[in-house]
Amino acid sequence: MDSHGQIEQQVVWAVVGTDIGPLLLAATGEGLVNVVFHATDAVRDKSLGRLADRLGVEPVESPGSPLLAEAIHQVEAYFAGARKDFALPLDWSLISGFNRQVLRELASGVPYGSVVGYGDLARRVGQPGAAQAVGTAMGANPLPVVVPCHRVVESDGGIGGFGGGLEAKRKLLALEGVLPEPLF
């Protein structure tokens, strides 16, 4: 507690090595709040600065924190092919409105090994003309991989965009059996 008897917000983070490069995982007492691709020193520092600004508290590196332990375990199990679903508390405080609605639907309604089109996802949240807005929501996803924006593809069969890069999207979809493994 702080000097006013309020419970202080805590944000802890760690970097986890994966088949798509290092991922920064950050958590609060509410749950996993952020996953960041390509967590090199520069990307990590910029992301942690944004988190501090958004959440009003300086994130602390703590790979052994109980707040992160299960998230790290589940991410590692996912990349090892031993986990298909994430069962983690999520802190949705970095996203709101339509974007949050779309991401919640994605998290609950598009299972491992399947894909959905941008327009289909828009229809699922009652906004059939909002395919482009769904694309924007995917780009704003603060919890990629765990909230599986890699499973959203173009209706014509194209892979679509991806904040982690198209190679990472292909690897994630191959891991889930949606695409064949790349030959090289």
Short mmCIF file of all heavy atoms in Angstrom, two decimals, residues 17-83:
data_model
loop_
_atom_site.label_atom_id
_atom_site.label_comp_id
_atom_site.label_asym_id
_atom_site.label_seq_id
_atom_site.Cartn_x
_atom_site.Cartn_y
_atom_site.Cartn_z
N GLY A 17 12.31 -16.22 -24.81
CA GLY A 17 12.74 -16.61 -26.15
C GLY A 17 11.72 -17.55 -26.77
O GLY A 17 11.22 -18.46 -26.10
N THR A 18 11.39 -17.32 -28.05
CA THR A 18 10.42 -18.17 -28.74
C THR A 18 10.92 -18.43 -30.16
O THR A 18 11.89 -17.83 -30.61
CB THR A 18 9.03 -17.50 -28.83
OG1 THR A 18 9.08 -16.44 -29.79
CG2 THR A 18 8.55 -17.00 -27.49
N ASP A 19 10.20 -19.29 -30.86
CA ASP A 19 10.53 -19.60 -32.26
C ASP A 19 10.33 -18.40 -33.19
O ASP A 19 10.78 -18.43 -34.33
CB ASP A 19 9.67 -20.76 -32.76
CG ASP A 19 10.01 -22.07 -32.08
OD1 ASP A 19 11.06 -22.15 -31.41
OD2 ASP A 19 9.20 -23.01 -32.20
N ILE A 20 9.63 -17.37 -32.73
CA ILE A 20 9.44 -16.18 -33.55
C ILE A 20 10.23 -15.00 -32.99
O ILE A 20 9.98 -13.86 -33.34
CB ILE A 20 7.94 -15.81 -33.71
CG1 ILE A 20 7.28 -15.55 -32.37
CG2 ILE A 20 7.22 -16.89 -34.51
CD1 ILE A 20 5.88 -14.95 -32.47
N GLY A 21 11.19 -15.27 -32.14
CA GLY A 21 12.01 -14.23 -31.55
C GLY A 21 11.60 -13.94 -30.12
O GLY A 21 10.63 -14.50 -29.60
N PRO A 22 12.33 -13.04 -29.47
CA PRO A 22 12.04 -12.74 -28.08
C PRO A 22 10.72 -11.98 -27.94
O PRO A 22 10.44 -11.04 -28.68
CB PRO A 22 13.22 -11.87 -27.64
CG PRO A 22 13.78 -11.31 -28.90
CD PRO A 22 13.48 -12.29 -29.99
N LEU A 23 9.91 -12.43 -26.96
CA LEU A 23 8.65 -11.75 -26.63
C LEU A 23 8.77 -11.14 -25.24
O LEU A 23 9.21 -11.81 -24.31
CB LEU A 23 7.48 -12.73 -26.61
CG LEU A 23 7.07 -13.42 -27.90
CD1 LEU A 23 5.91 -14.38 -27.63
CD2 LEU A 23 6.69 -12.39 -28.95
N LEU A 24 8.38 -9.89 -25.12
CA LEU A 24 8.28 -9.26 -23.81
C LEU A 24 6.89 -9.56 -23.28
O LEU A 24 5.90 -9.33 -23.98
CB LEU A 24 8.49 -7.75 -23.92
CG LEU A 24 8.40 -6.99 -22.60
CD1 LEU A 24 9.42 -5.86 -22.60
CD2 LEU A 24 7.03 -6.42 -22.35
N LEU A 25 6.80 -10.09 -22.08
CA LEU A 25 5.53 -10.31 -21.41
C LEU A 25 5.48 -9.37 -20.22
O LEU A 25 6.44 -9.30 -19.44
CB LEU A 25 5.40 -11.75 -20.91
CG LEU A 25 5.59 -12.87 -21.92
CD1 LEU A 25 5.41 -14.22 -21.23
CD2 LEU A 25 4.63 -12.74 -23.07
N ALA A 26 4.37 -8.65 -20.05
CA ALA A 26 4.19 -7.76 -18.91
C ALA A 26 2.86 -8.08 -18.26
O ALA A 26 1.87 -8.38 -18.94
CB ALA A 26 4.23 -6.30 -19.35
N ALA A 27 2.84 -8.02 -16.93
CA ALA A 27 1.63 -8.34 -16.19
C ALA A 27 1.40 -7.36 -15.05
O ALA A 27 2.35 -6.77 -14.53
CB ALA A 27 1.73 -9.76 -15.63
N THR A 28 0.14 -7.23 -14.69
CA THR A 28 -0.28 -6.46 -13.52
C THR A 28 -0.97 -7.44 -12.57
O THR A 28 -1.09 -8.63 -12.89
CB THR A 28 -1.29 -5.36 -13.90
OG1 THR A 28 -2.51 -6.00 -14.33
CG2 THR A 28 -0.77 -4.45 -15.00
N GLY A 29 -1.47 -6.96 -11.47
CA GLY A 29 -2.24 -7.80 -10.56
C GLY A 29 -3.51 -8.33 -11.19
O GLY A 29 -4.07 -9.33 -10.74
N GLU A 30 -3.98 -7.68 -12.26
CA GLU A 30 -5.19 -8.12 -12.96
C GLU A 30 -4.90 -9.27 -13.92
O GLU A 30 -5.78 -10.06 -14.21
CB GLU A 30 -5.79 -6.96 -13.76
CG GLU A 30 -6.31 -5.82 -12.93
CD GLU A 30 -7.53 -6.21 -12.13
OE1 GLU A 30 -8.44 -6.86 -12.68
OE2 GLU A 30 -7.56 -5.90 -10.92
N GLY A 31 -3.69 -9.31 -14.46
CA GLY A 31 -3.34 -10.35 -15.41
C GLY A 31 -2.32 -9.87 -16.42
O GLY A 31 -1.74 -8.78 -16.30
N LEU A 32 -2.11 -10.69 -17.43
CA LEU A 32 -1.19 -10.34 -18.51
C LEU A 32 -1.72 -9.10 -19.21
O LEU A 32 -2.89 -9.05 -19.60
CB LEU A 32 -1.08 -11.52 -19.49
CG LEU A 32 0.02 -11.43 -20.54
CD1 LEU A 32 1.41 -11.48 -19.90
CD2 LEU A 32 -0.13 -12.57 -21.54
N VAL A 33 -0.89 -8.08 -19.35
CA VAL A 33 -1.34 -6.81 -19.91
C VAL A 33 -0.72 -6.50 -21.27
O VAL A 33 -1.30 -5.75 -22.06
CB VAL A 33 -1.10 -5.64 -18.92
CG1 VAL A 33 0.39 -5.32 -18.78
CG2 VAL A 33 -1.90 -4.40 -19.27
N ASN A 34 0.45 -7.08 -21.57
CA ASN A 34 1.13 -6.74 -22.81
C ASN A 34 2.06 -7.86 -23.24
O ASN A 34 2.72 -8.48 -22.42
CB ASN A 34 1.92 -5.45 -22.61
CG ASN A 34 2.20 -4.64 -23.86
OD1 ASN A 34 3.10 -3.82 -23.86
ND2 ASN A 34 1.46 -4.82 -24.92
N VAL A 35 2.06 -8.10 -24.55
CA VAL A 35 3.00 -9.00 -25.20
C VAL A 35 3.59 -8.20 -26.35
O VAL A 35 2.84 -7.62 -27.14
CB VAL A 35 2.31 -10.28 -25.74
CG1 VAL A 35 3.30 -11.16 -26.50
CG2 VAL A 35 1.65 -11.06 -24.60
N VAL A 36 4.91 -8.16 -26.45
CA VAL A 36 5.57 -7.34 -27.47
C VAL A 36 6.53 -8.21 -28.26
O VAL A 36 7.36 -8.92 -27.69
CB VAL A 36 6.34 -6.16 -26.82
CG1 VAL A 36 7.05 -5.33 -27.87
CG2 VAL A 36 5.39 -5.30 -25.99
N PHE A 37 6.40 -8.15 -29.59
CA PHE A 37 7.28 -8.87 -30.50
C PHE A 37 8.66 -8.24 -30.55
O PHE A 37 8.83 -7.06 -30.27
CB PHE A 37 6.73 -8.84 -31.93
CG PHE A 37 5.46 -9.59 -32.12
CD1 PHE A 37 4.27 -8.92 -32.34
CD2 PHE A 37 5.44 -10.98 -32.10
CE1 PHE A 37 3.09 -9.61 -32.54
CE2 PHE A 37 4.27 -11.68 -32.28
CZ PHE A 37 3.09 -10.99 -32.50
N HIS A 38 9.64 -9.03 -31.01
CA HIS A 38 10.99 -8.54 -31.33
C HIS A 38 11.58 -7.75 -30.16
O HIS A 38 12.06 -6.63 -30.35
CB HIS A 38 10.99 -7.70 -32.60
CG HIS A 38 10.22 -8.31 -33.73
ND1 HIS A 38 10.58 -9.50 -34.31
CD2 HIS A 38 9.09 -7.90 -34.37
CE1 HIS A 38 9.71 -9.79 -35.27
NE2 HIS A 38 8.80 -8.85 -35.32
N ALA A 39 11.53 -8.32 -28.97
CA ALA A 39 11.90 -7.60 -27.75
C ALA A 39 13.41 -7.49 -27.58
O ALA A 39 13.98 -7.93 -26.59
CB ALA A 39 11.24 -8.26 -26.54
N THR A 40 14.04 -6.87 -28.57
CA THR A 40 15.45 -6.51 -28.43
C THR A 40 15.54 -5.38 -27.41
O THR A 40 14.52 -4.84 -26.99
CB THR A 40 16.01 -6.01 -29.78
OG1 THR A 40 15.23 -4.87 -30.18
CG2 THR A 40 15.93 -7.10 -30.86
N ASP A 41 16.74 -5.00 -27.03
CA ASP A 41 16.89 -3.96 -26.01
C ASP A 41 16.14 -2.69 -26.38
O ASP A 41 15.42 -2.12 -25.55
CB ASP A 41 18.36 -3.64 -25.77
CG ASP A 41 19.11 -4.77 -25.08
OD1 ASP A 41 18.45 -5.72 -24.59
OD2 ASP A 41 20.35 -4.72 -25.04
N ALA A 42 16.30 -2.22 -27.62
CA ALA A 42 15.67 -0.96 -28.03
C ALA A 42 14.15 -1.06 -28.02
O ALA A 42 13.45 -0.18 -27.52
CB ALA A 42 16.17 -0.54 -29.40
N VAL A 43 13.62 -2.15 -28.58
CA VAL A 43 12.17 -2.34 -28.62
C VAL A 43 11.64 -2.49 -27.21
O VAL A 43 10.61 -1.90 -26.84
CB VAL A 43 11.80 -3.57 -29.49
CG1 VAL A 43 10.33 -3.94 -29.34
CG2 VAL A 43 12.15 -3.31 -30.95
N ARG A 44 12.33 -3.27 -26.41
CA ARG A 44 11.92 -3.48 -25.01
C ARG A 44 11.86 -2.15 -24.26
O ARG A 44 10.85 -1.85 -23.61
CB ARG A 44 12.91 -4.43 -24.33
CG ARG A 44 12.55 -4.72 -22.88
CD ARG A 44 13.73 -5.28 -22.12
NE ARG A 44 14.76 -4.24 -22.03
CZ ARG A 44 16.05 -4.45 -22.05
NH1 ARG A 44 16.54 -5.68 -22.18
NH2 ARG A 44 16.90 -3.45 -21.97
N ASP A 45 12.91 -1.36 -24.36
CA ASP A 45 12.95 -0.08 -23.63
C ASP A 45 11.82 0.85 -24.06
O ASP A 45 11.18 1.50 -23.22
CB ASP A 45 14.31 0.59 -23.79
CG ASP A 45 15.43 -0.18 -23.09
OD1 ASP A 45 15.14 -1.09 -22.29
OD2 ASP A 45 16.61 0.12 -23.39
N LYS A 46 11.58 0.93 -25.37
CA LYS A 46 10.50 1.78 -25.87
C LYS A 46 9.14 1.28 -25.37
O LYS A 46 8.30 2.06 -24.93
CB LYS A 46 10.53 1.80 -27.40
CG LYS A 46 9.55 2.75 -28.03
CD LYS A 46 9.72 2.79 -29.55
CE LYS A 46 8.75 3.76 -30.16
NZ LYS A 46 8.87 3.79 -31.62
N SER A 47 8.94 -0.03 -25.40
CA SER A 47 7.67 -0.62 -24.95
C SER A 47 7.46 -0.39 -23.46
O SER A 47 6.35 -0.09 -23.03
CB SER A 47 7.65 -2.12 -25.26
OG SER A 47 7.72 -2.33 -26.64
N LEU A 48 8.51 -0.55 -22.68
CA LEU A 48 8.39 -0.34 -21.24
C LEU A 48 8.10 1.12 -20.92
O LEU A 48 7.33 1.42 -20.00
CB LEU A 48 9.66 -0.81 -20.52
CG LEU A 48 9.88 -2.34 -20.56
CD1 LEU A 48 11.26 -2.68 -20.01
CD2 LEU A 48 8.78 -3.07 -19.82
N GLY A 49 8.66 2.04 -21.69
CA GLY A 49 8.36 3.46 -21.51
C GLY A 49 6.89 3.76 -21.80
O GLY A 49 6.24 4.51 -21.06
N ARG A 50 6.37 3.15 -22.89
CA ARG A 50 4.94 3.34 -23.21
C ARG A 50 4.05 2.75 -22.11
O ARG A 50 3.05 3.34 -21.74
CB ARG A 50 4.61 2.70 -24.55
CG ARG A 50 4.93 3.56 -25.74
CD ARG A 50 4.22 3.08 -27.01
NE ARG A 50 4.40 1.67 -27.29
CZ ARG A 50 5.33 1.17 -28.09
NH1 ARG A 50 6.18 1.96 -28.69
NH2 ARG A 50 5.42 -0.13 -28.28
N LEU A 51 4.44 1.58 -21.61
CA LEU A 51 3.66 0.97 -20.53
C LEU A 51 3.65 1.86 -19.29
O LEU A 51 2.60 2.04 -18.67
CB LEU A 51 4.24 -0.39 -20.15
CG LEU A 51 3.64 -1.62 -20.76
CD1 LEU A 51 4.37 -2.87 -20.28
CD2 LEU A 51 2.17 -1.74 -20.50
N ALA A 52 4.80 2.40 -18.94
CA ALA A 52 4.88 3.29 -17.77
C ALA A 52 3.97 4.50 -17.97
O ALA A 52 3.24 4.89 -17.05
CB ALA A 52 6.33 3.74 -17.55
N ASP A 53 3.99 5.09 -19.16
CA ASP A 53 3.13 6.24 -19.45
C ASP A 53 1.65 5.87 -19.36
O ASP A 53 0.85 6.61 -18.80
CB ASP A 53 3.42 6.81 -20.84
CG ASP A 53 4.77 7.49 -20.93
OD1 ASP A 53 5.38 7.79 -19.88
OD2 ASP A 53 5.23 7.71 -22.08
N ARG A 54 1.27 4.74 -19.94
CA ARG A 54 -0.13 4.33 -19.98
C ARG A 54 -0.67 3.88 -18.62
O ARG A 54 -1.81 4.13 -18.29
CB ARG A 54 -0.33 3.18 -20.98
CG ARG A 54 -0.03 3.50 -22.42
CD ARG A 54 -1.13 4.25 -23.17
NE ARG A 54 -2.45 3.69 -23.12
CZ ARG A 54 -2.94 2.74 -23.90
NH1 ARG A 54 -2.18 2.19 -24.82
NH2 ARG A 54 -4.18 2.35 -23.77
N LEU A 55 0.18 3.19 -17.85
CA LEU A 55 -0.30 2.62 -16.59
C LEU A 55 0.08 3.43 -15.36
O LEU A 55 -0.38 3.16 -14.26
CB LEU A 55 0.20 1.18 -16.44
CG LEU A 55 -0.28 0.21 -17.54
CD1 LEU A 55 0.37 -1.15 -17.36
CD2 LEU A 55 -1.79 0.10 -17.56
N GLY A 56 0.95 4.43 -15.55
CA GLY A 56 1.31 5.31 -14.45
C GLY A 56 2.23 4.71 -13.41
O GLY A 56 2.28 5.19 -12.28
N VAL A 57 2.93 3.65 -13.80
CA VAL A 57 3.88 3.02 -12.88
C VAL A 57 5.02 2.44 -13.69
O VAL A 57 4.82 1.98 -14.82
CB VAL A 57 3.17 1.94 -12.01
CG1 VAL A 57 2.65 0.81 -12.86
CG2 VAL A 57 4.08 1.42 -10.93
N GLU A 58 6.20 2.48 -13.12
CA GLU A 58 7.39 1.98 -13.81
C GLU A 58 7.40 0.44 -13.78
O GLU A 58 7.39 -0.16 -12.71
CB GLU A 58 8.64 2.52 -13.12
CG GLU A 58 9.89 2.46 -13.94
CD GLU A 58 9.85 3.34 -15.18
OE1 GLU A 58 9.30 4.46 -15.13
OE2 GLU A 58 10.39 2.88 -16.21
N PRO A 59 7.43 -0.22 -14.94
CA PRO A 59 7.51 -1.68 -14.95
C PRO A 59 8.85 -2.16 -14.38
O PRO A 59 9.88 -1.53 -14.58
CB PRO A 59 7.42 -2.03 -16.43
CG PRO A 59 6.78 -0.84 -17.08
CD PRO A 59 7.26 0.34 -16.28
N VAL A 60 8.80 -3.29 -13.68
CA VAL A 60 9.98 -3.85 -13.03
C VAL A 60 10.27 -5.22 -13.63
O VAL A 60 9.37 -6.05 -13.73
CB VAL A 60 9.73 -4.00 -11.50
CG1 VAL A 60 10.89 -4.69 -10.82
CG2 VAL A 60 9.43 -2.65 -10.88
N GLU A 61 11.53 -5.44 -14.03
CA GLU A 61 11.90 -6.75 -14.55
C GLU A 61 11.82 -7.76 -13.41
O GLU A 61 12.43 -7.58 -12.36
CB GLU A 61 13.30 -6.74 -15.15
CG GLU A 61 13.67 -8.07 -15.77
CD GLU A 61 15.01 -8.06 -16.47
OE1 GLU A 61 15.82 -7.14 -16.23
OE2 GLU A 61 15.26 -8.98 -17.27
N SER A 62 11.05 -8.82 -13.63
CA SER A 62 10.86 -9.81 -12.58
C SER A 62 10.43 -11.15 -13.18
O SER A 62 9.28 -11.55 -13.04
CB SER A 62 9.82 -9.31 -11.58
OG SER A 62 9.71 -10.19 -10.50
N PRO A 63 11.36 -11.84 -13.88
CA PRO A 63 10.98 -13.09 -14.53
C PRO A 63 10.48 -14.16 -13.57
O PRO A 63 9.76 -15.06 -13.97
CB PRO A 63 12.26 -13.52 -15.25
CG PRO A 63 13.36 -12.73 -14.65
CD PRO A 63 12.75 -11.49 -14.08
N GLY A 64 10.83 -14.05 -12.28
CA GLY A 64 10.37 -15.02 -11.30
C GLY A 64 9.09 -14.64 -10.60
O GLY A 64 8.62 -15.35 -9.71
N SER A 65 8.49 -13.51 -10.99
CA SER A 65 7.28 -13.03 -10.32
C SER A 65 6.12 -14.01 -10.47
O SER A 65 5.88 -14.53 -11.56
CB SER A 65 6.87 -11.69 -10.91
OG SER A 65 5.56 -11.35 -10.49
N PRO A 66 5.39 -14.24 -9.40
CA PRO A 66 4.19 -15.08 -9.51
C PRO A 66 3.18 -14.52 -10.52
O PRO A 66 2.42 -15.28 -11.11
CB PRO A 66 3.60 -15.06 -8.10
CG PRO A 66 4.71 -14.66 -7.20
CD PRO A 66 5.64 -13.81 -8.03
N LEU A 67 3.20 -13.21 -10.75
CA LEU A 67 2.29 -12.60 -11.73
C LEU A 67 2.62 -13.04 -13.15
O LEU A 67 1.75 -13.04 -14.02
CB LEU A 67 2.34 -11.07 -11.65
CG LEU A 67 1.87 -10.42 -10.35
CD1 LEU A 67 2.07 -8.91 -10.42
CD2 LEU A 67 0.43 -10.77 -10.04
N LEU A 68 3.88 -13.42 -13.39
CA LEU A 68 4.32 -13.81 -14.74
C LEU A 68 4.54 -15.30 -14.91
O LEU A 68 4.57 -15.80 -16.02
CB LEU A 68 5.65 -13.10 -15.08
CG LEU A 68 5.56 -11.66 -15.52
CD1 LEU A 68 6.96 -11.08 -15.64
CD2 LEU A 68 4.81 -11.53 -16.82
N ALA A 69 4.71 -16.02 -13.83
CA ALA A 69 5.13 -17.42 -13.90
C ALA A 69 4.22 -18.26 -14.80
O ALA A 69 4.70 -18.99 -15.67
CB ALA A 69 5.21 -18.02 -12.50
N GLU A 70 2.93 -18.16 -14.62
CA GLU A 70 2.02 -18.98 -15.42
C GLU A 70 2.00 -18.53 -16.87
O GLU A 70 1.93 -19.36 -17.78
CB GLU A 70 0.60 -18.97 -14.82
CG GLU A 70 -0.35 -19.93 -15.49
CD GLU A 70 0.08 -21.41 -15.45
OE1 GLU A 70 0.88 -21.81 -14.58
OE2 GLU A 70 -0.39 -22.18 -16.31
N ALA A 71 2.07 -17.23 -17.12
CA ALA A 71 2.11 -16.73 -18.50
C ALA A 71 3.35 -17.25 -19.21
O ALA A 71 3.27 -17.71 -20.35
CB ALA A 71 2.06 -15.21 -18.53
N ILE A 72 4.49 -17.18 -18.56
CA ILE A 72 5.73 -17.69 -19.16
C ILE A 72 5.60 -19.18 -19.44
O ILE A 72 5.93 -19.65 -20.53
CB ILE A 72 6.94 -17.38 -18.24
CG1 ILE A 72 7.22 -15.87 -18.21
CG2 ILE A 72 8.18 -18.16 -18.70
CD1 ILE A 72 8.22 -15.44 -17.15
N HIS A 73 5.10 -19.92 -18.47
CA HIS A 73 4.92 -21.37 -18.63
C HIS A 73 4.01 -21.68 -19.82
O HIS A 73 4.32 -22.54 -20.65
CB HIS A 73 4.35 -21.96 -17.34
CG HIS A 73 3.95 -23.39 -17.48
ND1 HIS A 73 4.86 -24.42 -17.56
CD2 HIS A 73 2.72 -23.96 -17.58
CE1 HIS A 73 4.21 -25.56 -17.71
NE2 HIS A 73 2.92 -25.31 -17.72
N GLN A 74 2.88 -20.98 -19.93
CA GLN A 74 1.93 -21.26 -21.00
C GLN A 74 2.48 -20.85 -22.37
O GLN A 74 2.26 -21.54 -23.37
CB GLN A 74 0.59 -20.59 -20.72
CG GLN A 74 -0.15 -21.28 -19.59
CD GLN A 74 -1.58 -20.80 -19.42
OE1 GLN A 74 -2.22 -20.34 -20.37
NE2 GLN A 74 -2.09 -20.91 -18.20
N VAL A 75 3.19 -19.74 -22.45
CA VAL A 75 3.79 -19.31 -23.73
C VAL A 75 4.83 -20.34 -24.17
O VAL A 75 4.87 -20.75 -25.34
CB VAL A 75 4.38 -17.89 -23.62
CG1 VAL A 75 5.30 -17.58 -24.80
CG2 VAL A 75 3.25 -16.85 -23.54
N GLU A 76 5.67 -20.77 -23.24
CA GLU A 76 6.68 -21.78 -23.59
C GLU A 76 6.01 -23.08 -24.04
O GLU A 76 6.44 -23.71 -25.01
CB GLU A 76 7.63 -22.01 -22.42
CG GLU A 76 8.54 -20.83 -22.17
CD GLU A 76 9.41 -20.93 -20.93
OE1 GLU A 76 9.10 -21.75 -20.03
OE2 GLU A 76 10.39 -20.18 -20.84
N ALA A 77 4.96 -23.50 -23.35
CA ALA A 77 4.25 -24.73 -23.71
C ALA A 77 3.58 -24.60 -25.08
O ALA A 77 3.58 -25.55 -25.87
CB ALA A 77 3.21 -25.08 -22.64
N TYR A 78 3.03 -23.43 -25.38
CA TYR A 78 2.41 -23.18 -26.69
C TYR A 78 3.45 -23.37 -27.80
O TYR A 78 3.21 -24.08 -28.77
CB TYR A 78 1.81 -21.77 -26.73
CG TYR A 78 1.36 -21.34 -28.10
CD1 TYR A 78 0.13 -21.74 -28.60
CD2 TYR A 78 2.17 -20.52 -28.89
CE1 TYR A 78 -0.29 -21.34 -29.88
CE2 TYR A 78 1.76 -20.13 -30.15
CZ TYR A 78 0.54 -20.54 -30.64
OH TYR A 78 0.14 -20.15 -31.91
N PHE A 79 4.61 -22.75 -27.66
CA PHE A 79 5.63 -22.84 -28.71
C PHE A 79 6.24 -24.23 -28.78
O PHE A 79 6.75 -24.62 -29.84
CB PHE A 79 6.69 -21.76 -28.53
CG PHE A 79 6.25 -20.43 -29.05
CD1 PHE A 79 5.77 -19.45 -28.19
CD2 PHE A 79 6.26 -20.15 -30.41
CE1 PHE A 79 5.33 -18.23 -28.67
CE2 PHE A 79 5.82 -18.94 -30.90
CZ PHE A 79 5.35 -17.98 -30.03
N ALA A 80 6.15 -25.00 -27.71
CA ALA A 80 6.64 -26.39 -27.72
C ALA A 80 5.59 -27.34 -28.31
O ALA A 80 5.86 -28.53 -28.45
CB ALA A 80 7.00 -26.82 -26.31
N GLY A 81 4.41 -26.81 -28.64
CA GLY A 81 3.35 -27.63 -29.19
C GLY A 81 2.56 -28.40 -28.14
O GLY A 81 1.76 -29.27 -28.47
N ALA A 82 2.77 -28.08 -26.88
CA ALA A 82 2.11 -28.79 -25.78
C ALA A 82 0.87 -28.08 -25.25
O ALA A 82 0.21 -28.58 -24.36
CB ALA A 82 3.11 -29.00 -24.64
N ARG A 83 0.55 -26.91 -25.77
CA ARG A 83 -0.61 -26.15 -25.31
C ARG A 83 -1.30 -25.54 -26.50
O ARG A 83 -0.67 -24.94 -27.36
CB ARG A 83 -0.18 -25.05 -24.33
CG ARG A 83 -1.31 -24.12 -23.93
CD ARG A 83 -0.92 -23.18 -22.81
NE ARG A 83 -1.02 -23.82 -21.51
CZ ARG A 83 -2.16 -24.01 -20.86
NH1 ARG A 83 -3.31 -23.66 -21.38
NH2 ARG A 83 -2.16 -24.57 -19.67
#
